[in-house]
Structure formats: structure tokens, C-alpha cells
């Protein structure tokens, strides 16, 4: 451990495989920032495969380690981002970086995001190493994983339930059971199910605050007045959403509020070029940006939001109390649809399912009605946004005792 990293507070390593999009990285950032903000002596390291991790700012006390990135193909398979490098070589390199980072940082706790064994099992050796040394192991899950018919065979193939039961001291679900129970459909024998239930905590959703404003930050002129924010998250699978919104503005010149579209950094270049041409033809009623790593500022100003319904965007909609239309994707997972429809049933958002028809008039009618929707705060859901506070409490409880002795074991 480097001398300048010495600290009397808990040391938490957060692993995020990040094969696609921005969701895992942004969730890990929120958790890490909350941990160090709640305890000035705490330190956190995020180990991530996100190729855009350098675009984000982190709280003092949070460091990042970048893993060689991988990409996900349309058929569900994976490859190295550098196509000349075999995937197994990339996984071996990632495994080595994770192990060396753990040994150097000497964490009191490791929080793993979503994948119990890591990407292609790259975390298994580190989990065994940590368990031998008494390092606390936590699996963090978003509120929804997928429908049972997709989730069960995937987790069985990966041996995820066995890994979860063998290694993890606690399992945190960043949501509420009344919206979804992500592990309920998994087949488990009674003994394993009982062990998992004892370790399971529903934290509530992860509240988001405005970040510290980056020096020299500039915003589009449209953000100075009332506008609708259209965000496709990372953008890699957001083209259909953007197309539908643009079609609505093309079909209905009377939509009262203009739209600001955030394409996302992973939107296909050809798709973006086509959208840019259509936006120019809309003569100021729609404008676009590529990406905003501080999109919370735009979210907080918007009169309403149109989004796909990924976990982080949903947390921001709740946190900034924005009226929202969600258009969830259903491939390759139905995660967004499950979340969105459950939230709509509680009165928190409005949902448009593409399978019910993509007529421009449907979207235009929803955009017209958006300013009159009920804000999420008008719906009383106990514990809805208590996730970060719950995480900070569990970190103090799990990693707050015997830190010095544990670090000696970790470094031995």
C-alpha cells in the first residue's frame, strides 16, 4: 500500500465489468462518491472496463483503474474491443489487473456490480483470495435483472447462484421489493434460498444530486428556457427512441416545448448523421448534443424527460422529480420494460411500449401531455430513494471494525 493512501477509514474496492453502455459505471460512481462523502477517511477504487471512464469526475478519495474493454455483439457474444486481441487473452489481462489492484489497495470490502463471478469468471480467483483473508464481499444488484426465462438459463450457465452463496457476505438490491424482486425466479434448494434470504437487503434507489460543476461548463442555448430532455443513455441502443421522437416533431408542428436530444457516446456514426440532418430541418424545435458527463444539470432544468428507462436514468428522474415518458427496450433484455411498467403502475412515470405501435402521433400526444403529468414526488413510496444512505450504513457496519488487522492479512 502506498504511503500517501494510508487512511483510518474503510477502504472499498468496487468492481464493474462494464461491457456496454454507461449504467454500471454511473451506478458505481454514485456508490463510491457516497462512501467517501459519508466518511472523510474512507477511500474507494473503482475497477471498470468502461472505455469512457476518463470522461467522468469523481469525489476526492475515489480512484479508478481501467480494465481492457470488451464489446458485446448483437448475437449476445463478446469480443475484445481491439479486434486483433483474442478474448481469452483480454480476460487473462483483466484478471491479472484486478488481482494486482486488490493486493496493492488492500481493501476492507469488495463490492461487485451485478456479475457474481465477474465477466467470463475473471473475478473468481480474487473472490477466493479475499475470502481467505476475511475481506468482506458484497454483491450489488440493480432492481431488475431480466425476465425469468432469460435470467435463469444465463445464471445457470455462469454458476451464479453457487458463486453468490459461496462467497458473498451480503447482497444489496438497489431498489424496492414492491417494484421487483430480481432473485425471486431463480431456482434454489431450500438451504441455499434461506442463506441468500438472510444476506439480502433492499436498499431503495440511489438518489442523485447535482455534481460539482466542471470549470468552463457550457450548455446548449435551448437549456435557458423550458425544454424536454430526450436521453438515450450511452446511445448504443437508443436509435429507435430518437427516431420516434423526431418523427413526432416532424408530424406535429404544434408540440409546445422544444426537445434537446442527448445522443450518447456510443450512437452509431451513420445513425447520428441521419438524425443531425432531420434535426436541422426541424428549424430550432429540436437540437442535439453528443454527450454530457454532467447530464444531471440538464435533467434538473428540463420540463420533462423522454428516456428508455435504464436504472440510472430512472434514479435521476426520481431524484430531480421530473415528469417522464419511458420507452423501454425489450431486447436483448426486458429489464427496462419490467421496471418501467412497475413504475407506471405506481403512478411515477408514463410508459409507451413500441410493441403497441410506433405511430408518430402516439409520441406527439404524449409529448403534448408531458407538462401536465404528475410529478413522481406526488406519489408516496416509503424508502424510495434511500439507497445511498443504506449503502453507507452497511459499509460502516461491515468494514468499520478490525481494519488494521484485516489489512495485515490482506497484504500477507
Amino acid at each position: 500500500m502506498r504511503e500517501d493512501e494510508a487512511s483510518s477509514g474503510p477502504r472499498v474496492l468496487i468492481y464493474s465489468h462494464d461491457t456496454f453502455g454507461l449504467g454500471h459505471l454511473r451506478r458505481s460512481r454514485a456508490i463510491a462518491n457516497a462512501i467517501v462523502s459519508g466518511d472523510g477517511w474512507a477511500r474507494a477504487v473503482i475497477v471498470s472496463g468502461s472505455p469512457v471512464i476518463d470522461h467522468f469526475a469523481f469525489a476526492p478519495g475515489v480512484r479508478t483503474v481501467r480494465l481492457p474493454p470488451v464489446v458485446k455483439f448483437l448475437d449476445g457474444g463478446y469480443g475484445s474491443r481491439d479486434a486483433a486481441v483474442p478474448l481469452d487473452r483480454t480476460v487473462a489481462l483483466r484478471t491479472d489487473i484486478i488481482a494486482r489492484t486488490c493486493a496493492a489497495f488492500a481493501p476492507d470490502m469488495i463490492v461487485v456490480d451485478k456479475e457474481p463471478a465477474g465477466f467470463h469468471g475473471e473475478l473468481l480467483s480474487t473472490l477466493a483470495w479475499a475470502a481467505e483473508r476475511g475481506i468482506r464481499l458484497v454483491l450489488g444488484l440493480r432492481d431488475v435483472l431480466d425476465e425469468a426465462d432469460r435470467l435463469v438459463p444465463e445464471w445457470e450457465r455462469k454458476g451464479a447462484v453457487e458463486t453468490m452463496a459461496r462467497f458473498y457476505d451480503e447482497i444489496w438490491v438497489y431498489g424496492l421489493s414492491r417494484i421487483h424482486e430480481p432473485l425471486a425466479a431463480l431456482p434454489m434448494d431450500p438451504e441455499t434460498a434461506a442463506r441468500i434470504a438472510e444476506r439480502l437487503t433492499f436498499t431503495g434507489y440511489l438518489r442523485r444530486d447535482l455534481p460539482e460543476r466542471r470549470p468552463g461548463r457550457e450548455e446548449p442555448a435551448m437549456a435557458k428556457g423550458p425544454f424536454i430532455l430526450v436521453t438515450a443513455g450511452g446511445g448504443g441502443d437508443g436509435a429507435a427512441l430518437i427516431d420516434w421522437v423526431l418523427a413526432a416533431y416532424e408530424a406535429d408542428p404544434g408540440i409546445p416545448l422544444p426537445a434537446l436530444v442527448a445522443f450518447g457516446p456510443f450512437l452509431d456514426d451513420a445513425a447520428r448523421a441521419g438524425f443531425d440532418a432531420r434535426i436541422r430541418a426541424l428549424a430550432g424545435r429540436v437540437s442535439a448534443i453528443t454527450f454530457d458527463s454532467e447530464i444531471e444539470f440538464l435533467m434538473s432544468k428540463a420540463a420533462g424527460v423522454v428516456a428508455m428507462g435504464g436504472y440510472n436514468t430512472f434514479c435521476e428522474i426520481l431524484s430531480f422529480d421530473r415528469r417522464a415518458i419511458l420507452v423501454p427496450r425489450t431486447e436483448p433484455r426486458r429489464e427496462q420494460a419490467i421496471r418501467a411498467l412497475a413504475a407506471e403502475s405506481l403512478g411515477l412515470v408514463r410508459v409507451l411500449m413500441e410493441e403497441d405501435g410506433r405511430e408518430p402521433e402516439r409520441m406527439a400526444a404524449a409529448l403534448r401531455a408531458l407538462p401536465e403529468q404528475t410529478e413522481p414526488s406526488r406519489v408516496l413510496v416509503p424508502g424510495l430513494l434511500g439507497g445511498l444512505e443504506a449503502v453507507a450504513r452497511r459499509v460502516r457496519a461491515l468494514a468499520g471494525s478490525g481494519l488494521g488487522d484485516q489489512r495485515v492479512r490482506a497484504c500477507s
Side-chain angles (χ1 to χ4, degrees):
M1 182 174 64
R2 288 169 41 187
E3 192 67 28
D4 62 353
E5 292 178 345
S7 169
S8 61
R11 302 169 68 80
V12 182
L13 185 140
I14 300 173
Y15 163 86
S16 178
H17 69 292
D18 279 296
T19 58
F20 187 72
L22 299 174
H24 301 290
L25 171 61
R26 295 179 66 209
R27 182 164 56 247
S28 297
R29 180 182 68 156
I31 292 168
N33 287 351
I35 288 170
V36 300
S37 298
D39 182 339
W41 294 104
R43 295 293 179 266
V45 168
I46 299 175
V47 180
S48 170
S50 172
V52 295
I53 192 169
D54 297 337
H55 292 266
F56 289 86
F58 297 84
V62 179
R63 292 194 299 111
T64 62
V65 174
R66 181 173 168 179
L67 299 172
V70 296
V71 295
K72 187 173 185 178
F73 303 128
L74 293 177
D75 63 2
Y78 293 90
S80 302
R81 192 171 184 87
D82 181 349
V85 180
L87 180 60
D88 58 353
R89 186 181 303 172
T90 296
V91 172
L93 180 56
R94 287 166 59 107
T95 300
D96 181 62
I97 293 171
I98 294 166
R100 287 191 284 110
T101 301
C102 282
F105 182 56
D108 306 301
M109 174 187 296
I110 298 174
V111 178
V112 174
D113 186 62
K114 182 181 176 288
E115 293 286 346
F119 175 72
H120 280 221
E122 67 187 1
L123 206 58
L124 287 172
S125 58
T126 292
L127 293 175
W129 174 89
E132 289 175 358
R133 288 157 177 79
I135 296 170
R136 297 290 191 174
L137 295 172
V138 174
L139 177 64
L141 301 175
R142 65 182 181 227
D143 58 340
V144 183
L145 295 173
D146 204 347
E147 281 189 329
D149 61 349
R150 305 186 192 195
L151 177 66
V152 170
E154 177 186 344
W155 274 47
E156 287 181 341
R157 185 180 71 253
K158 295 176 179 178
V161 170
E162 293 81 359
T163 301
M164 186 168 53
R166 176 184 174 191
F167 288 112
Y168 287 97
D169 299 291
E170 292 201 1
I171 302 159
W172 300 341
V173 177
Y174 307 126
L176 295 179
S177 59
R178 66 181 297 183
I179 289 183
H180 192 67
E181 297 186 38
L183 302 180
L186 293 172
M188 303 182 201
D189 62 75
E191 182 180 349
T192 299
R195 290 205 306 270
I196 296 299
E198 290 173 353
R199 305 173 195 180
L200 188 64
T201 298
F202 285 85
T203 67
Y205 289 89
L206 304 177
R207 183 186 300 275
R208 306 302 166 88
D209 296 314
L210 291 177
E212 184 175 345
R213 184 179 290 269
R214 186 176 62 248
R217 173 180 171 79
E218 297 182 0
E219 293 181 349
M222 185 177 286
K224 296 178 181 178
F227 70 99
I228 295 170
L229 177 64
V230 181
T231 172
D237 54 2
L241 169 67
I242 297 169
D243 172 73
W244 198 2
V245 170
L246 295 184
Y249 277 90
E250 290 163 343
D252 186 348
I255 296 173
L257 293 180
L260 174 60
V261 179
F263 287 136
F266 305 125
L267 179 67
D268 178 77
D269 289 341
R272 170 167 179 165
F275 291 148
D276 280 334
R278 294 169 66 185
I279 288 170
R280 287 193 296 272
L282 286 167
R285 296 173 58 225
V286 179
S287 65
I289 59 174
T290 299
F291 172 57
D292 188 346
S293 64
E294 299 173 330
I295 200 169
E296 295 93 341
F297 287 108
L298 296 177
M299 182 82 69
S300 68
K301 294 178 179 179
V305 177
V306 183
M308 294 167 62
Y311 180 86
N312 292 282
T313 302
F314 182 61
C315 288
E316 289 161 351
I317 287 167
L318 298 180
S319 299
F320 299 118
D321 201 23
R322 299 297 88 181
R323 301 173 173 93
I325 301 166
L326 298 186
V327 185
R329 74 172 185 222
T330 55
E331 294 292 339
R333 300 184 184 278
R334 287 191 60 84
E335 164 233 333
Q336 293 184 358
I338 294 169
R339 176 184 303 111
L341 292 171
E344 184 180 50
S345 71
L346 292 174
L348 296 170
V349 298
R350 178 176 180 181
V351 176
L352 294 182
M353 297 296 294
E354 293 186 89
E355 61 199 38
D356 295 330
R358 284 178 46 87
E359 296 83 6
E361 294 77 15
R362 281 189 72 217
M363 177 63 74
L367 292 170
R368 282 178 170 273
L370 183 57
E372 306 305 320
Q373 277 184 215
T374 301
E375 300 97 330
S377 63
R378 300 284 296 274
V379 181
L380 181 61
V381 183
L384 183 64
L385 283 168
L388 291 179
E389 293 82 359
V391 165
R393 286 195 302 270
R394 294 312 304 154
V395 168
R396 288 193 296 269
L398 284 174
S401 60
L403 299 184
D405 293 342
Q406 186 165 293
R407 284 180 194 143
V408 170
R409 293 196 302 273
C411 293
S412 61

